[in-house]
Amino acid sequence: MFSRSVSRLFYGSLVMLGVVVIVFFLFQGFGDPARLILGQRADAGTLHNIRKDLYLDQPKWKQFIYYLNDVSPISVYKEEELAEKNIHGIGVGGKTKLVLKFPYLRRSYQTRRPVWSMLMEALPGTIILAFLAMFIATLSGISLGILAAIKKDSWMDTTAILTSVLGISAPSFFMSIVIAYIFGFVLNHYTGLQMTGSLFDTDPFEGRQWQLKNAILPAITLGIRPMAIIAQLTRGSMLDILNQDYIRTAYAKGLSQKQVIWRHALRNALNPVITAITGWFAELLAGAFFVEYIFGWKGIGKITVDALAKLDFPVVMGSVLVTSFFFISINILADWLYRVVDPRVKA
């Protein structure tokens, strides 16, 4: 078990390194970062200083080394660089230190704020939205799948399959517009929900207020497609399990249908469902770009779209790295969940 965990972490680190390489070279050549920061009327001296500060006066391979040093959790810095970049961590050495730190994702071109702090401010909104969406998708998807399997070839089975097909077919951006318009505008008087809104709203008199109700519509929208896939996987897996000999033996022993379904069939049918749940949760956590943007929900997806519109590449690059890290971590966590649900899975 330990050797497998180390192996997964090692391969996860290699994937993360590959993401860093792709992200760095993908955004090379898109305009002049110094011009994006200072505008078109900046003087030559200031432009030169900015390019030097961003290592733009160095060869590409050196720029990549500097970027890798910044985003790595273990880096080498001079004392003045630590103070200049406001990097906090555990350092060892003299004037040149080996530092254990959080990744330094540099600063936004537009706001000059540290990208890390911008992403950490937006991350709670994305996490809450992803959890709510997957809770809705998992609860409704597994329920639909079980119902369809038990009532195979009935109208309930047909309805469940049709619902899941429609859910898979509907694009998220289209469903976002439809759901926002119907429940946030047309039926606003009955639902009390708004078309747009974030986790916190600022009232001029009462200050910052928690507004979890704003997450209802985007969470439902995000949960539609994973719900459809979870329902179909649960149905297929349950039908396979219900035809096994040990299920017939359980019925022969006098167990009720409820006991057979919940104690024997469902647990053994959950492995492919867990794969779907963890995969979709990682994808939602990686940023539901269009849904967050349409509903005005402040999360990693929305600030990434805003940054792309403004050519604020450090924010976009930082967003890709952070979301890739979560995606890899959740897939590693899925291995542990397999063993909890089904001990027959080998370490």
Side-chain angles (χ1 to χ4, degrees):
M1 184 66 178
F2 176 76
S3 61
R4 179 176 176 82
S5 299
V6 172
S7 174
R8 293 285 290 174
L9 288 172
F10 174 71
Y11 286 118
S13 301
L14 289 181
V15 172
M16 199 68 212
L17 177 61
V19 172
V20 171
V21 174
I22 293 171
V23 164
F24 177 81
F25 288 103
L26 183 64
F27 289 97
Q28 295 298 306
F30 287 92
D32 183 354
R35 289 285 184 188
L36 292 173
I37 293 171
L38 298 174
Q40 297 300 319
R41 298 184 178 181
D43 61 272
T46 308
L47 284 173
H48 174 75
N49 291 334
I50 291 293
R51 290 189 178 111
K52 185 176 180 181
D53 182 57
L54 297 176
Y55 311 113
L56 299 176
D57 58 340
Q58 302 290 332
K60 291 296 182 190
W61 67 269
K62 269 194 176 181
Q63 292 183 39
F64 174 69
I65 296 298
Y66 285 129
Y67 183 71
L68 188 61
N69 188 60
D70 282 341
V71 300
S72 172
I74 301 175
S75 309
V76 177
Y77 286 107
K78 295 179 180 178
E79 285 186 347
E80 55 269 24
E81 287 180 313
L82 292 174
E84 181 183 345
K85 296 178 178 179
N86 195 27
I87 295 175
H88 302 285
I90 302 173
V92 178
K95 290 186 176 181
T96 301
K97 297 181 181 294
L98 183 67
V99 183
L100 177 66
K101 60 173 179 56
F102 285 109
Y104 173 62
L105 302 178
R106 302 189 172 177
R107 294 179 180 272
S108 163
Y109 289 161
Q110 301 296 326
T111 65
R112 300 305 295 157
R113 289 183 58 200
V115 172
W116 178 265
S117 65
M118 293 175 65
L119 294 177
M120 290 305 103
E121 283 181 10
L123 184 61
T126 296
I127 290 177
I128 289 174
L129 194 59
F131 266 110
L132 286 174
M134 285 312 303
F135 175 77
I136 293 170
T138 302
L139 188 64
S140 54
I142 290 178
S143 300
L144 276 175
I146 293 173
L147 182 63
I150 295 173
K151 304 293 183 180
K152 185 175 181 294
D153 297 328
S154 69
W155 68 269
M156 292 185 182
D157 183 23
T158 305
T159 303
I161 293 174
L162 179 62
T163 302
S164 64
V165 169
L166 290 175
I168 293 172
S169 305
S172 295
F173 67 88
F174 173 74
M175 293 304 299
S176 300
I177 296 171
V178 171
I179 290 176
Y181 178 72
I182 293 176
F183 296 100
F185 181 72
V186 176
L187 301 178
N188 169 262
H189 181 71
Y190 303 101
T191 63
L193 303 174
Q194 304 295 325
M195 291 183 67
T196 60
S198 195
L199 185 59
F200 294 99
D201 283 343
T202 302
D203 186 274
F205 300 102
E206 299 183 12
R208 204 177 189 213
Q209 293 182 316
W210 176 272
Q211 296 290 339
L212 190 58
K213 70 175 184 178
N214 290 336
I216 294 175
L217 295 183
I220 291 173
T221 304
L222 282 176
I224 289 174
R225 295 191 73 192
M227 176 205 71
I229 292 173
I230 290 170
Q232 289 201 357
L233 285 173
T234 303
R235 178 185 180 274
S237 188
M238 283 289 293
L239 287 175
D240 183 56
I241 295 296
L242 289 174
N243 288 324
Q244 299 296 318
D245 290 338
Y246 70 90
I247 296 295
R248 287 189 283 270
T249 302
Y251 278 120
K253 288 181 177 180
L255 295 180
S256 66
Q257 186 183 54
K258 183 178 179 181
Q259 288 175 314
V260 172
I261 294 298
W262 293 104
R263 289 174 55 185
H264 297 281
L266 182 60
R267 182 167 183 173
N268 292 319
L270 278 181
N271 264 352
V273 179
I274 288 176
T275 304
I277 291 172
T278 54
W280 272 101
F281 180 71
E283 184 172 330
L284 296 182
L285 199 57
F289 295 92
F290 292 110
V291 174
E292 287 185 6
Y293 189 77
I294 290 170
F295 283 99
W297 181 265
K298 187 179 179 182
I300 288 182
K302 185 177 185 302
I303 69 168
T304 304
V305 173
D306 289 338
L308 275 171
K310 298 173 183 176
L311 302 180
D312 200 347
F313 295 127
V315 177
V316 179
M317 294 164 73
S319 173
V320 172
L321 293 180
V322 169
T323 53
S324 298
F325 171 78
F326 279 112
F327 196 94
I328 293 167
S329 299
I330 290 172
N331 278 282
I332 293 175
L333 180 63
D335 274 1
W336 292 79
L337 290 177
Y338 293 150
R339 289 184 55 80
V340 172
V341 173
D342 189 352
R344 295 173 299 174
V345 176
K346 299 297 182 181

